[in-house]
């Protein structure tokens, strides 16, 4: 089919929730092709998902090996792949704990809200404090948790139990904690609102505040996790000495295959009617579920993705390529005053302009580079961790060309 024919199908049959552009038919590594045969260097990475690039052999192999064996059997039964993936994620966090599996970032975060509710329940605490400019997904609780008005508009009333404080402002967060607060949820690097890393002092201060006030510290690592910042989790690149009580994951963890997960901490103890139990055990049988959560197929793929990240040393590569891109972008900032700021860590980089980025994003695509807006005035690079120096330089050259025309 041509692009025009595919667009026609969408106009007739797909709900118009996205502003879409190209019709993509094929991908390989950091490149993809549209229905009219045009080639693109993909620095959007399927919105920070394709950490191994398009159709990586390790993912294809895992799908081919697992699919004939067992695709789905429900969570009424044990599977080796889910057990192994949970163990791997616990090891990557570096602190004892347990995991729960779902299918998306919003669903992973839903599990965090339920954990906060259950944790605070007997004391009448239920509020989750999140940050201004945050993004936590598009379910009702997700938009309630998100500290941006635009996602809530038209969907009020919002579910109760969410409060907001300014990001990277510890005093304001401290002041916002009230008698009903049960947890603080934060993205170690804010993604959707413009690629803004938390400061190490902020994350350390939140840990201390949560300990003082008996709150849960929860990190949304859906976008900044998966090795993108140079360590497996974003917080490990910022304040590795901080251990949260819970972490949500999705996006890159399956390298394009849908899977979400949470990790919960064992060392955190919770008082219950039956005495003290580890926090990671507070959701018992019948309290939470997901039909598709952690299928053997999804877990086999995620295990293959993580194994590849480790074997090919892609976290160190992400850090190195990120440095190269940052250096190049800062050189462009010196040349083009329309670039206000270059922010981010590793291969999660934001380029803030003095104007809306829509036009630049479209011009980059026309010039063969896919990038994605993050808010109105910033566009981001969230490419595969596998990109080469040549890919990085090619992306910089296209941005330079486009800004030169603007
Ligand atoms: C994308 C994203 C989500 C939502 O993930 P979905 O898989 O789209 O539900 C949640 N939190 C953050 C930080 C994200 O970037």
């Amino acid at each position: 089919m041509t692009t025009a024919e595919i667009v026609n199908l969408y106009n007739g049959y797909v709900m118009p929730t996205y502003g879409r552009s190209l019709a993509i038919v094929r991908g390989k590594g950091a490149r993809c092709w549209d229905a009219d045969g045009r080639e693109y260097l993909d620095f959007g990475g399927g919105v920070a998902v394709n950490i191994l690039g398009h159709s990586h052999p390790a993912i294809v192999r895992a799908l081919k090996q697992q699919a004939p064996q067992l695709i789905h059997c429900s969570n009424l039964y044990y599977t080796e792949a889910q057990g192994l993936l949970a163990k791997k994620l616990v090891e990557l966090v570096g602190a004892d704990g347990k995991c729960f599996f779902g299918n998306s970032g919003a669903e992973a975060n839903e599990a965090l809200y339920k954990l906060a509710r259950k944790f605070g329940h007997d004391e009448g605490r239920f509020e989750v404090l999140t940050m201004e400019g945050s993004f936590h997904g598009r379910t009702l609780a997700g938009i309630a948790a998100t500290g941006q008005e635009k996602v809530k508009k038209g969907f009020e009333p919002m579910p109760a139990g969410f409060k907001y404080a300014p990001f990277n402002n510890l005093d304001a967060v401290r002041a916002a904690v009230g008698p009903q607060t049960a947890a603080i949820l934060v993205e170690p690097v804010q993604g959707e609102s413009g690629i803004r890393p938390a400061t190490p002092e902020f994350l350390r201060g939140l840990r201390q505040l949560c300990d003082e006030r008996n709150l849960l510290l929860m990190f949304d690592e859906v976008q900044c996790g998966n090795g993108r910042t140079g360590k497996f989790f974003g917080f490990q690149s910022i304040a590795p000495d901080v251990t949260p009580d819970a972490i949500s994951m999705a996006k890159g963890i399956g390298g394009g295959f849908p899977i979400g997960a949470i990790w919960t901490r064992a060392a955190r103890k919770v008082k219950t009617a039956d005495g003290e139990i580890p926090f990671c055990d507070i959701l018992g049988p019948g309290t939470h579920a997901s039909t598709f959560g952690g299928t053997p197929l999804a877990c086999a793929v995620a295990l293959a993705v993580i194994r590849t990240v480790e074997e090919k040393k892609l976290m160190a590569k992400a850090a190195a390529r990120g440095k190269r891109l940052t250096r190049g972008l800062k050189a462009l900032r010196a040349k083009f005053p329309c670039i206000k700021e270059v922010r981010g860590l590793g291969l999660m980089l934001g380029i803030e302009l003095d104007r809306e980025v829509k036009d630049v994003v479209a011009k980059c695509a026309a010039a063969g580079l896919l990038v994605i807006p993050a808010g109105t005035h910033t566009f981001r690079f969230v490419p595969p961790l596998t990109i080469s120096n040549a890919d990085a330089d090619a992306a910089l050259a296209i941005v330079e060309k486009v800004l030169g025309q603007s």
Side-chain angles (χ1 to χ4, degrees), residues 11 47 53 63 101 185 193 229 260 310 365:
N11 289 341
V47 195
L63 285 164
F101 294 97
L185 172 64
S193 65
T229 63
E310 290 185 324

Side-chain angles (χ1 to χ4, degrees), residues 104-107 109 135-137 187 192 220 222-223 250-251:
S104 67
E107 195 188 355
N109 284 333
F135 181 80
H136 299 297
E187 292 160 87
E192 295 305 308
D220 181 339
V222 168
Q223 186 161 164
K251 290 211 163 89

Side-chain angles (χ1 to χ4, degrees), residues 21-79:
S21 51
L22 314 165
I24 304 294
V25 292
R26 191 166 64 85
K28 189 169 191 295
R31 284 178 173 71
C32 61
W33 288 267
D34 72 13
D36 301 329
R38 276 185 297 258
E39 179 179 308
Y40 302 91
L41 182 55
D42 186 359
F43 268 43
V47 195
V49 166
N50 298 324
I51 59 173
L52 301 185
H54 290 281
S55 298
H56 191 280
I59 297 180
V60 175
R61 204 178 311 121
L63 285 164
K64 279 186 174 164
Q65 278 174 1
Q66 185 61 42
Q69 198 70 32
L70 186 68
I71 293 175
H72 171 86
C73 66
S74 93
N75 279 303
L76 301 173
Y77 310 104
Y78 298 97
T79 67

Side-chain angles (χ1 to χ4, degrees), residues 363-380:
K363 282 183 174 155
C364 282
L369 174 69
L370 303 185
V371 294
I372 315 178
T376 53
H377 285 60
T378 302
F379 66 94
R380 66 189 127 160

Side-chain angles (χ1 to χ4, degrees), residues 103-246:
N103 304 281
S104 67
E107 195 188 355
N109 284 333
E110 287 281 337
L112 297 189
Y113 315 141
K114 282 182 73 176
L115 278 165
R117 290 274 176 112
K118 190 88 163 87
F119 169 77
H121 186 264
D122 294 350
E123 298 168 345
R125 296 193 290 149
F126 58 89
E127 247 167 35
V128 178
L129 189 57
T130 70
M131 302 303 134
E132 289 170 9
S134 59
F135 181 80
H136 299 297
R138 294 287 193 153
T139 58
L140 265 183
I143 60 175
T146 292
Q148 300 187 59
E149 278 314 305
K150 67 174 189 204
V151 303
K152 308 176 204 236
K153 240 176 104 190
F155 301 106
E156 301 87 352
M158 284 295 109
F162 295 94
K163 250 172 93 173
Y164 321 94
F167 186 58
N168 274 338
N169 184 335
L170 192 59
D171 289 338
V173 174
R174 188 178 288 276
V177 171
Q180 295 175 325
T181 310
I184 295 176
L185 172 64
V186 60
E187 292 160 87
V189 185
Q190 287 192 337
E192 295 305 308
S193 65
I195 313 294
R196 298 172 198 281
T199 62
E201 302 76 47
F202 187 58
L203 295 187
R204 288 188 189 118
L206 288 180
R207 180 67 274 177
Q208 197 185 354
L209 174 62
C210 287
D211 290 341
E212 282 167 24
R213 306 289 296 266
N214 189 26
L215 308 172
L216 299 173
L217 178 60
M218 311 196 296
F219 288 161
D220 181 339
E221 290 268 355
V222 168
Q223 186 161 164
C224 66
N226 314 305
R228 182 161 292 290
T229 63
K231 299 275 190 264
F232 194 78
F233 291 105
F235 78 89
Q236 294 168 335
S237 291
I238 298 169
D241 48 312
V242 169
T243 304
D245 299 303

Side-chain angles (χ1 to χ4, degrees), residues 38-41 360-370 394-395 397-403 405:
R38 276 185 297 258
E39 179 179 308
Y40 302 91
L41 182 55
V360 166
V361 168
K363 282 183 174 155
C364 282
L369 174 69
L370 303 185
I398 292 176
V399 171
E400 178 166 16
K401 187 173 121 192
V402 165
L403 292 179
Q405 295 163 349

